[in-house]
Amino acid sequence: GKSALLNRLAGVRKVKSENKAGVTKNLQWVRVPGFDLLDSPGIIPAKLLTQEIAVHLAICDDIGEASYDTILIAAALLDEVRKVGFSMPSYVDLSGFRTRYGKVVGTMSGEEYIWRLSQDAFMGNELACATRILDDWRKGRLG
């Protein structure tokens, strides 16, 4: 990405860089011989991105965490899984959530599911709960 290129141009590691999106959280100026360069978080042109596409990209971890609210994205994932699970049961096995977390998705909204699960299993920490749900989904632990 941009950060890796900037480090290469500088000849030393000046900014944090990893082989995944979303590592750069803030703007950072870096001086290299003859230039001042600005490292920035990734940008997706607004004209190419609807809110629905942005949510799906975030669910799949294809845009950096600095670009979205983790709790809202996990809630959107749960809402989508529930909707597909009820309309096309052969596409989504909702039992993975019950097996993993001991709580049926049922008719709860994604936000309510996260709130209830966070109260039962995460000492009320909704962010930790949402992060776990997204991580488990991305790693295929939910079926």
Side-chain angles (χ1 to χ4, degrees), residues 35-106:
F35 296 96
D36 285 334
L37 301 173
L38 179 62
D39 192 23
S40 66
I43 297 170
I44 300 173
K47 66 182 180 182
L48 298 178
L49 190 65
T50 66
Q51 188 64 31
E52 183 179 10
I53 291 170
V55 167
H56 288 153
L57 288 170
I59 287 170
C60 296
D61 202 23
D62 288 331
I63 57 176
E65 289 179 29
S67 304
Y68 60 86
D69 180 303
T70 301
I71 296 169
L72 293 178
I73 294 303
L77 165 65
L78 288 160
D79 289 338
E80 188 74 20
V81 165
R82 182 178 29 82
K83 181 175 74 177
V84 173
F86 287 147
S87 63
M88 296 180 277
S90 63
Y91 280 56
V92 176
D93 180 9
L94 295 175
S95 68
F97 290 88
R98 184 185 70 245
T99 301
R100 184 108 177 127
Y101 308 122
K103 191 164 290 303
V104 177
V105 174

Side-chain angles (χ1 to χ4, degrees), residues 2 24-27 39-43 66-67:
K2 293 182 298 294
T24 304
K25 305 287 188 206
N26 301 303
L27 298 175
D39 192 23
S40 66
I43 297 170
S67 304

Side-chain angles (χ1 to χ4, degrees), residues 104-123:
V104 177
V105 174
T107 59
M108 283 186 272
S109 71
E111 288 183 18
E112 183 179 359
Y113 187 89
I114 290 168
W115 184 83
R116 288 178 185 248
L117 181 60
S118 72
Q119 299 306 307
D120 294 345
F122 292 86
M123 297 187 301

